[in-house]
Amino acid sequence: MSPRSAAVDRSIELESRVAAPNYLPIPVVLQSGRGEWLFDLDGRRYLDLMSAYSAVSHGHAHPRLLKALTEQAAQVAVTSRAYHSATLGAFLEHLTGLCGLSSPQAKALPSSGGAEAVETAIKAARRWGYRVKGIAPDAAEIAVARGNFHGRSTTIVGFSSEEAYRADFGPFSPGFRHFDFGDIESLKSAINENTCAVLLEPIQGEAGIVVPPDGFLREVRAVCNEKHVLLILDEIQSGLGRTGRWFAYEHEGIRPDGLILGKALGGGLLPVSCFVATPEVMDLFEPGSHGSTFGGNPLAAAVGLEALRVIEDEGLVARSAALGAHLLSRLSALNSALIRQVRGRGLWVGVELDSSVSARDVVERLAERGVLTKDTHGTVIRFAPPLTISRDALDWGVDVFAETLRQFEATAEPVARAPRLAVRGETAPKAVERAQRARLMMSAPDHFEVSYRINPWMDPVQWKSSAEELRRQADRGWFALKQMYERLGADVEIQPAQAGLPDLVFTANSALVLDRTALLARFRHPERRMELGHNRAFFESLRSRGWIDSIVETPDDLYFEGAGDAIWDASRKLIWTGWGQRTSLPMAGVIARMFSVPTVPLELVDPRFYHLDTCLCVLSGGEVLYYPAAFSTQSRDTIRDLVGKDRLIEAGAADAEHLAVNSVCLGDQIVMCYASDTLRDLLTQRGYEVHVVPLESFNRSGGSAYCLTLRLDLSSRPEAGDPRPVARRGRPKLLKAA
């Protein structure tokens, strides 16, 4: 590394002279940033693997956020809550809709920094305890976990178990009882008749990215229900996509009563925080009972709303899930005697080092090599990059970390080391079980024909001139496809045909079915809209016979063409969504809120590939077969980043134009309408058996095996057969449940 310039030394000296010594910064002087990269006064580039403790989840200087900031600042920035503003309502409506704590609507109280939001939650919990639970005046208690970090105010450090945070700052507020994080019996012992709330981080960040045992949050929720106690989760760091879900609590399928948010809510530009809770809690506030001068100001609300929209539009939650699994896998695979444990979820990972080496020394050496991260508790190094980080940049950062550890190993004195602990948290994407019996839906082809043109493949003139032969082909192909599914062990449910509905046979477009809930299509083209009533009636019959549990309609102002534009990826636990031709972009957010799973919106730019299923197919082993030319440049980059080169299979033009990508994968069996020798060999090398069923008539109208099939048994649960309840946050307000 080249020596520091005089300007850097002067800046460090000046800051040290005039700033209170409550921080010990890494000796770099940062001047600018773009995306995942930061630059110092000398123009040297650094990879940001810290993202300001998750505050810069969107990356530095995101253009959409800068635009929202400057446009709003040019109008009005701060007015105080003494008046209404044009931006606050839309921001809080969007935020509370994402949180989904209650139906029909949770409520929010905005503030500035995270500690202020925690203080708000404490006040709300105590008032609920007195006015709802009936706790005696001034006797309310809140149960808090040892190892917690909720902020730096005197109330909050008063219930910290870290002595350095408390030293000489007392006297402290009473009313807090401690329990051991991850120990449900300890929590039960901390709760009594005066307990109004449990305040908890779903994952302890400052403690070193400590992940509780599986099922702990579900047990906490059950105890709170039993004891009539509020569950308030501090997701200031873990929320808004950091762990590969919108909120960390979704990993366990629960709902808190209150949620504390901050950091990423300000898009890396402003301090924006919020306490969101059920109306039962929030309606206890009245004018004058609480306030915040800067909380909910017009500028913060405008930036906060755009920050939420960017997370949705750019699929950052799913990006965190996929790249986070990759990061955890790579760090876990490092062959270093200095690593004792790797733990985390999403793009939030802690690496615990052996006590023979100082984590601070490692962090400083990493900075010298152009990688910025942060140590905690002397032995843990945290990795929390912007959710926008590229796979290549992430890999480079891990490579530098590995090389840096090797340098420390070479100079470390030999010591007896404890055995390495197992990885804690999410595991890397892996092949799903390949012997799962599928439940499929098909629609009989009795009346199938091409009577109108809504895509480049359809030619009503050609169909009319060869109608009888094409109908025979359609019948032949459809029955051959059904027989193939049954031969492979699938159960097939047949939707009866109806005269006048020629497109009905393309069943994949009728709905997305996940976790036994059907989200119905809303077609863009008028020619297909008459199918909607027939489809709904059939899903009603499926519900009455126990194949599905519920039916939900797409919002009236959006278009959505079912599983054709929403493909579940079981390996990455996310849904790929297509938009730009048949499905509206905001449907990615609707689906994410509906099913509590990450979504990745992909823009389709070639009119021949008008549904996502025509150009992207997810295989059971985690590979993705796709046709790159069908996507925008940004979407191609997204696919390559989230899937990785080793799991991507590119279809050539000939295969794509024969609709080979529109295929169905059942375990290690792939059903296709076409496969070139090259593509067949690639799939065979990956361990798949390829079955080709010619579907000539359907191909002529732009569809193939996947279009003719809707899977009814897809589950977002972590493992096949997992008895845990599926996560639900409640349906978005615009959706109409049957």
Side-chain angles (χ1 to χ4, degrees), residues 438-443 477-478 481-482 484-485 490-495 504-513 539 561-564 566-567 613 662-666 671-672 695 698 703-714:
R439 303 191 84 177
L440 309 176
M441 169 181 160
M442 297 179 71
S443 182
W478 187 91
L481 183 63
K482 177 177 178 290
M484 177 60 70
Y485 289 148
D491 295 323
V492 182
E493 182 74 6
I494 305 301
Q495 180 187 32
L504 186 67
V505 70
F506 291 124
T507 315
N509 310 138
S510 63
L512 167 66
V513 181
F539 284 108
E561 303 215 354
I567 298 176
D613 63 5
N662 190 253
S663 299
V664 174
C665 184
L666 303 177
V671 181
M672 318 179 76
L695 296 168
F698 299 115
S704 185
Y706 193 98
C707 283
L708 299 174
T709 313
L710 180 65
R711 189 152 186 179
L712 301 173
D713 61 343
L714 296 176

Side-chain angles (χ1 to χ4, degrees), residues 504-711:
L504 186 67
V505 70
F506 291 124
T507 315
N509 310 138
S510 63
L512 167 66
V513 181
L514 181 66
D515 298 331
R516 296 178 60 84
T517 293
L519 176 56
L520 298 180
R522 187 178 301 281
F523 293 114
R524 180 179 294 273
H525 290 286
E527 293 88 345
R528 295 206 66 180
R529 290 176 193 163
M530 54 187 173
E531 298 174 37
L532 298 177
H534 186 72
N535 285 334
R536 185 182 183 103
F538 187 67
F539 284 108
E540 292 282 7
S541 74
L542 290 179
R543 181 169 64 172
S544 69
R545 286 180 284 129
W547 280 59
I548 60 175
D549 293 333
S550 57
I551 302 168
V552 180
E553 292 184 3
T554 290
D556 294 342
D557 58 340
L558 298 178
Y559 296 115
F560 173 56
E561 303 215 354
D565 269 332
I567 298 176
W568 170 244
D569 187 332
S571 294
R572 295 167 191 85
K573 301 175 188 174
L574 56 84
I575 292 178
W576 303 92
T577 66
W579 69 275
Q581 298 194 43
R582 298 293 189 87
T583 292
S584 306
L585 173 58
M587 278 304 301
V590 171
I591 293 167
R593 295 190 293 273
M594 169 82 190
F595 294 104
S596 296
V597 296
T599 56
V600 184
L602 301 173
E603 184 180 11
L604 304 174
V605 296
D606 187 328
R608 297 172 302 168
F609 303 97
Y610 49 91
H611 281 142
L612 184 61
D613 63 5
T614 63
C615 48
L616 185 139
C617 179
V618 177
L619 308 184
S620 63
E623 301 91 345
V624 171
L625 170 65
Y626 83 125
Y627 179 50
F631 299 94
S632 67
T633 300
Q634 181 178 346
S635 293
R636 284 199 300 272
D637 291 343
T638 296
I639 294 169
R640 290 165 181 163
D641 258 2
L642 299 196
V643 177
K645 297 176 183 176
D646 58 326
R647 293 194 172 205
L648 268 180
I649 304 173
E650 290 193 10
D655 280 300
E657 290 164 7
H658 284 85
L659 294 170
V661 182
N662 190 253
S663 299
V664 174
C665 184
L666 303 177
D668 55 6
Q669 312 291 313
I670 300 180
V671 181
M672 318 179 76
C673 69
Y674 176 89
S676 66
D677 291 342
T678 299
L679 181 56
R680 186 190 290 266
D681 288 345
L682 284 172
L683 294 170
T684 301
Q685 290 167 15
R686 301 269 183 160
Y688 296 98
E689 184 175 353
V690 176
H691 306 272
V692 174
V693 179
L695 296 168
E696 302 102 319
S697 289
F698 299 115
N699 296 160
R700 293 187 190 202
S701 57
S704 185
Y706 193 98
C707 283
L708 299 174
T709 313
L710 180 65
R711 189 152 186 179

Side-chain angles (χ1 to χ4, degrees), residues 109-180:
L109 200 162
S111 49
S112 298
E116 188 181 357
V118 174
E119 291 277 3
T120 302
I122 291 170
K123 290 175 70 174
R126 286 173 171 170
R127 177 160 282 197
W128 176 89
Y130 299 130
R131 295 190 177 182
V132 176
K133 188 172 180 179
I135 297 172
D138 296 331
E141 294 182 345
I142 296 174
V144 294
R146 294 184 178 90
N148 73 74
F149 183 83
H150 296 286
R152 302 278 190 174
S153 70
T154 52
T155 297
I156 293 171
V157 298
F159 61 78
S160 172
S161 55
E162 183 69 39
E163 281 305 314
Y165 300 158
R166 296 165 49 89
D168 298 326
F169 291 130
F172 299 116
S173 170
F176 299 94
R177 292 170 61 90
H178 288 84
F179 63 91
D180 294 329

